Amino acid sequence: MELEAVFSSKPRMKILKLIARLGALNISDIARRINLNYTTTNQHLKLLEAEGILQQRTYGRIRMYKFSETSPKAKAVQNLIETWEQVNNK
């Protein structure tokens, strides 16, 4: 997937910013915090996971998502969000 496709979605950017700020979260919590339904949130999370930006960990029936620890894409996205937030908070 092209970079533009990943970043062109406002809900995906909200998900990435939320996980950057709070760490690992489950789908229901993400959906509630960004005001999307479960199915749509799940689709965005699956795409971000397929791109290697997020990784999923399952605890029983609960799926937790966080930035992938081994992906250069994930590190780049985290750095971009952190830098952007720092500049905007000055």
Side-chain angles (χ1 to χ4, degrees):
M1 175 174 273
E2 295 292 320
L3 177 68
E4 295 86 1
V6 173
F7 289 128
S8 66
S9 168
K10 192 171 184 174
R12 278 195 291 275
M13 288 307 302
K14 285 182 176 183
I15 290 168
L16 292 170
K17 286 172 52 179
L18 184 64
I19 291 175
R21 189 172 72 242
L22 300 176
L25 294 166
N26 69 44
I27 298 173
S28 297
D29 200 23
I30 294 168
R32 183 178 47 80
R33 289 174 183 259
I34 65 170
N35 202 26
L36 277 181
N37 66 50
Y38 181 93
T39 303
T40 303
T41 302
N42 191 40
Q43 290 171 346
H44 287 297
L45 289 167
K46 283 182 179 181
L47 185 143
L48 292 168
E49 184 180 15
E51 283 301 309
I53 298 169
L54 296 181
Q55 66 183 37
Q56 174 192 158
R57 186 145 197 183
T58 305
Y59 300 95
R61 292 178 41 204
I62 298 173
R63 290 184 290 160
M64 301 292 287
Y65 283 88
K66 66 178 186 173
F67 278 103
S68 174
E69 296 170 358
T70 59
S71 169
K73 286 182 184 180
K75 300 277 189 242
V77 170
Q78 280 182 290
N79 289 337
L80 172 66
I81 292 169
E82 288 171 11
T83 302
W84 193 275
E85 296 295 320
Q86 286 174 358
V87 170
N88 282 339
N89 290 331
K90 286 186 179 182

